[in-house]
Amino acid sequence: MDLTPDQAALAVERHDCPNCDAPAGSACRTRGGKTAAKYHTPRFVLVPALREELEIPVPADRTPGRAWKQGPALAIVPAPRTERPVRIGYARTSTARQELASQLEALHRAECHKVFKEQISTRVKVRPELEKALALARQFKEAAPETPVIFTVHELKRLARNAAELMTLSAELQAGGIQLELLTGPLTGIYDPNGMGAMFFAVLAVAGQIERNYIREKTLEGQVNAASKGNHGGRPKVIDDDMLTFAVALKDKGVPVPEIAKKLTIKVGKNAGKSPSVASLYRALAEAEAAADDGLPLQPKPVRIRRSGDPLTPEEIDLRERLQAQPHPNAAGTRRG
């Protein structure tokens, strides 16, 4: 600002305030009727030389109702031939571990008049700093309709995560006559949401949705490929199929669940070599019983009671070998003794 504080105050007070209805020659007022600490934005942007300022403080010697006197002639007050656009910047990361510095630096190079920043996920529907940035952009546009107001972001994904949110934002920008600027990416540039710009916003929304669908499809495809190789993701099961089969057989014979838990040994994970907790075993048995009650085949199937002379099936031979590989339940007690 090339004006002194007194010159700026006099230039502002030549106009009535559209916000608080303070008459010309008087400082702005609060809702309580007292002198405000700063002139309201819709008032000082009426002065072309002050439109790029974010705030104009009220001189300490001003009081409500003070008689207005003509200030000194200001050569720079007339509006310039071309209006410099007002840029409102917005930066966002999803988590606190992601850095904002690169976005803030890019917005600073773009000469944004004010930058709003927040660390919040796009899954959160209400983003306070985004709302403040849009509100300030609308306020500037309402106060000076002929001045271009540009909402600037580092990249498109900082604004929305799906087509519906992007189209909602597009409608807000269209209603306010606010342009959108992207600083990086293949669509770098400034776009007006009105006219042909409306088509551009629709294309952006569709492209964003297609990209997210593609990512989701590739993720599901990767999970299917991993499952075909035996990697199902997630934490390993504490009680695997063999252990559950053994536990069901013992339970059918009347062995108490706490005693069954002591006879089982976890094979993988950080608790490998230990016995599962009684609570985990109860849950596994309850799930197996629920599956049987629903008419579904119990996985794994309970041990078939057979006579000594009956031949073993291939599945039973394989199960016997796996059960024999289990450590003897009394082996740990023998070692302790």
Side-chain angles (χ1 to χ4, degrees):
M1 180 175 65
D2 296 329
L3 303 178
T4 65
D6 287 339
Q7 289 175 328
L10 290 173
V12 172
E13 291 183 5
R14 291 176 182 173
H15 305 275
D16 295 338
C17 180
N19 192 61
C20 67
D21 297 328
S26 179
C28 287
R29 285 155 171 76
T30 64
R31 292 182 179 179
K34 298 181 180 180
T35 301
K38 298 179 294 186
Y39 291 101
H40 295 125
T41 303
R43 188 179 191 184
F44 71 72
V45 296
L46 297 175
V47 182
L50 303 177
R51 286 176 181 169
E52 297 180 4
E53 300 298 324
L54 294 178
E55 58 183 42
I56 303 295
V58 175
D61 62 345
R62 302 299 166 96
T63 56
R66 179 185 175 92
W68 178 75
K69 296 181 181 179
Q70 181 69 36
L74 304 175
I76 63 173
V77 168
R81 296 180 61 182
T82 58
E83 294 289 345
R84 182 183 177 187
V86 175
R87 278 182 168 83
I88 305 299
Y90 174 71
R92 182 195 63 79
T93 60
S94 297
T95 64
R97 290 182 293 180
Q98 296 175 332
E99 56 89 19
L100 274 170
S102 58
Q103 295 184 51
L104 297 176
E105 182 179 356
L107 294 172
H108 177 72
R109 289 197 304 266
E111 299 182 350
C112 291
H113 294 76
K114 186 173 180 61
V115 175
F116 294 83
K117 60 181 180 179
E118 59 187 340
Q119 293 178 314
I120 188 172
S121 172
T122 50
R123 296 180 183 273
V124 180
K125 294 184 178 180
V126 179
R127 283 167 271 168
E129 295 303 311
L130 175 60
E131 296 298 328
K132 292 179 183 178
L134 293 173
L136 181 60
R138 288 192 294 266
Q139 192 175 21
F140 269 110
K141 193 63 180 178
E142 292 172 0
E146 71 284 358
T147 302
V149 178
I150 303 175
F151 188 71
T152 304
V153 294
H154 189 250
E155 52 188 337
L156 189 63
K157 68 180 182 180
R158 300 303 166 191
L159 293 178
R161 65 184 299 266
N162 55 45
E165 292 179 1
L166 189 57
M167 292 308 295
T168 300
L169 176 63
S170 172
E172 291 186 27
L173 296 177
Q174 285 179 316
I178 302 168
Q179 301 178 32
L180 174 65
E181 181 177 23
L182 306 178
L183 298 180
T184 61
L187 300 174
T188 300
I190 300 176
Y191 301 93
D192 190 334
N194 297 304
M196 294 299 295
M199 182 181 299
F200 168 78
F201 272 73
V203 172
L204 284 182
V206 174
Q209 190 63 43
I210 291 176
E211 179 183 5
R212 290 178 181 86
N213 290 341
Y214 174 77
I215 293 174
R216 181 176 181 274
E217 290 175 0
K218 296 300 291 184
T219 301
L220 293 177
E221 181 181 340
Q223 292 175 349
V224 171
N225 291 337
S228 64
K229 298 177 182 179
N231 182 7
H232 298 277
R235 297 172 58 187
K237 295 172 62 175
V238 173
I239 301 177
D240 60 21
D241 293 348
D242 292 343
M243 294 168 63
L244 183 56
T245 299
F246 188 46
V248 170
L250 293 178
K251 184 173 183 295
D252 291 341
K253 293 180 180 180
V255 180
V257 174
E259 292 298 325
I260 298 176
K262 295 178 181 180
K263 299 178 183 295
L264 302 178
T265 303
I266 301 174
K267 299 178 182 179
V268 295
K270 64 179 182 179
N271 293 322
K274 299 180 181 179
S275 296
S277 67
V278 177
S280 298
L281 182 55
Y282 269 120
R283 284 195 297 269
L285 292 172
E287 292 173 0
E289 291 176 0
D293 292 340
D294 292 338
L296 300 176
L298 184 61
Q299 294 293 336
K301 297 180 180 179
V303 175
R304 181 173 62 90
I305 304 300
R306 56 178 299 279
R307 298 178 180 179
S308 58
D310 294 341
L312 297 176
T313 65
E315 292 80 4
E316 290 173 335
I317 294 174
D318 179 65
L319 177 60
R320 182 184 63 179
E321 293 176 352
R322 285 186 290 174
L323 291 175
Q324 289 175 348
Q326 289 276 346
H328 195 278
N330 296 328
T334 303
R335 288 195 297 270
R336 296 191 193 97

